[in-house]
Amino acid sequence: IVVDSPCPGPMCQAELRDPFDPTARGKRTVFLNFGGVTLEATPYDDDARYNRSAIAQYDMSIPAFDVDDLSDDGGLTRGQIIERAVEDMYRIYAPYDVEFVTTRPSSGSYQMVVFGSDCETVAGDNDCVGIGLRDCDDVMPNNIVFAFPLGQRVEDLGSTGAHENGHALGLEAGDPERHRHH
């Protein structure tokens, strides 16, 4: 699911890096959160640094990633599954200057992919494997997106996280021309 961002617009409170060229530049850091998180729902913009989500329907706690939520764990341990998801995301983002970390950065801007919970709990819809704001022009440097493991296979986690994070970078679904230019 792609949710339209409040940015740009009157509800947007994002800190633009440059009002004349808001698109982010340089290395991007993406925190892959498998450990759970408590989120504050906000009608404004996401901010991974402060656990504020414009997608969350209400203030909520997302539990840590649970291997039992997968339809197929491939016989791997939790640690191996996380390692596989990180490797898959690096492979998908190979042409870009993106760093994936599994420990929350202590400072600076970063996006967060939350691996846990389910679509119905977070977004009130029971038919999705992930959800992210479409951050047109990439004006919010600290987006939060979700990849829901429930019913997925090990090999789906990284691609779902990468897909949803792509929306946070301003990419639209089904628009390969735009994907090539970002």
Side-chain angles (χ1 to χ4, degrees), residues 50-85:
Y50 304 105
N51 297 330
R52 291 188 210 134
S53 171
I55 293 173
Q57 300 294 301
Y58 50 86
D59 293 356
M60 64 179 59
S61 290
I62 305 293
F65 165 70
D66 186 347
V67 174
D68 291 336
D69 286 342
L70 297 171
S71 66
D72 179 9
D73 65 13
L76 302 174
T77 67
R78 184 177 191 277
Q80 290 170 323
I81 291 168
I82 291 170
E83 185 177 306
R84 167 87 185 263

Side-chain angles (χ1 to χ4, degrees), residues 2-51:
V2 179
V3 177
D4 284 325
S5 168
C7 297
M11 298 298 283
C12 180
Q13 296 179 345
E15 299 170 4
L16 298 179
R17 293 168 185 243
D18 179 343
F20 300 105
D21 184 10
T23 304
R25 300 282 186 239
K27 182 178 283 262
R28 299 299 296 266
T29 300
V30 181
F31 168 41
L32 304 179
N33 184 341
F34 290 91
V37 64
T38 298
L39 297 172
E40 175 188 345
T42 175
Y44 304 109
D45 54 310
D46 283 349
D47 197 324
R49 300 167 302 175
Y50 304 105
N51 297 330

Side-chain angles (χ1 to χ4, degrees), residues 26-28 90 92-100 169 171 178-182:
K27 182 178 283 262
R28 299 299 296 266
Y90 266 117
I92 292 166
Y93 278 82
Y96 308 101
D97 196 9
V98 178
E99 175 185 30
F100 296 101
L169 295 170
L171 302 176
R178 185 163 176 151
H179 283 255
R180 275 195 286 277
H181 295 295
H182 278 75

